[in-house]
Amino acid sequence: MKTQQLLIAAVLAASTLAMPPAMAHGSAAARHGGIVQVANDVNFELVVDADGATIYLVDHDDDMPSKGISGKLTVLNGAQKSEVDVKATEGNKLRATGVKIAPGAKIVAVLNNVEGKTATVRFTIK
């Protein structure tokens, strides 16, 4: 009886090792050279430029339309705090302009109407 139980346990253990890992919402790899964070099961990629930042939205490895999404971007550069509006542009892009983002800055994006919910996404610039 013990041998049979051991054999069953070994088969079950081996079968769990053969199962592929679940990746329900795709990979969190950067597509545009930015920083990727996941919130509300959506990938948010922040790309910083000279005049602000662009946030790209990806859900299940597909571009997620930004239409109807808006919010605020709060940037903490050391002790200095700046806030700017985030607005939808074409495709899967959100844009925040008029803010300087330095290395070491901490950023919080609060975005409304992301699949009907508010998403809060935090980034740290290296």
Side-chain angles (χ1 to χ4, degrees), residues 7 15 32 38 48-49 57-58 60 63 71 85 90 92 121:
L7 182 60
S15 67
H32 305 281
V38 179
V48 175
D49 59 39
L57 309 172
V58 176
H60 291 90
D63 290 353
D85 290 331
E90 76 277 357
N92 68 329
V121 191

Side-chain angles (χ1 to χ4, degrees), residues 50-121:
D51 187 37
T54 301
I55 299 174
Y56 295 88
L57 309 172
V58 176
D59 188 18
H60 291 90
D61 287 331
D62 292 323
D63 290 353
M64 183 178 137
S66 63
K67 184 176 182 179
I69 299 173
S70 63
K72 291 264 185 223
L73 195 72
T74 302
V75 179
L76 300 170
N77 283 315
Q80 185 181 21
K81 178 180 174 181
S82 305
E83 281 191 356
V84 293
D85 290 331
V86 176
K87 297 178 183 173
T89 63
E90 76 277 357
N92 68 329
K93 298 178 195 175
L94 299 168
R95 187 82 180 118
T97 58
V99 64
K100 299 291 182 194
I101 301 172
K106 297 191 184 314
I107 298 172
V108 178
V110 178
L111 305 171
N112 302 310
N113 201 26
V114 177
E115 296 183 329
K117 301 175 188 171
T118 298
T120 302
V121 191

Side-chain angles (χ1 to χ4, degrees), residues 4 16 40 43 51 53 58 90 96 125:
Q4 186 180 13
T16 60
N40 294 12
N43 293 354
D51 187 37
V58 176
E90 76 277 357
I125 305 303

Side-chain angles (χ1 to χ4, degrees), residues 39-53:
N40 294 12
D41 294 327
V42 174
N43 293 354
F44 298 85
E45 181 179 359
L46 179 79
V47 178
V48 175
D49 59 39
D51 187 37

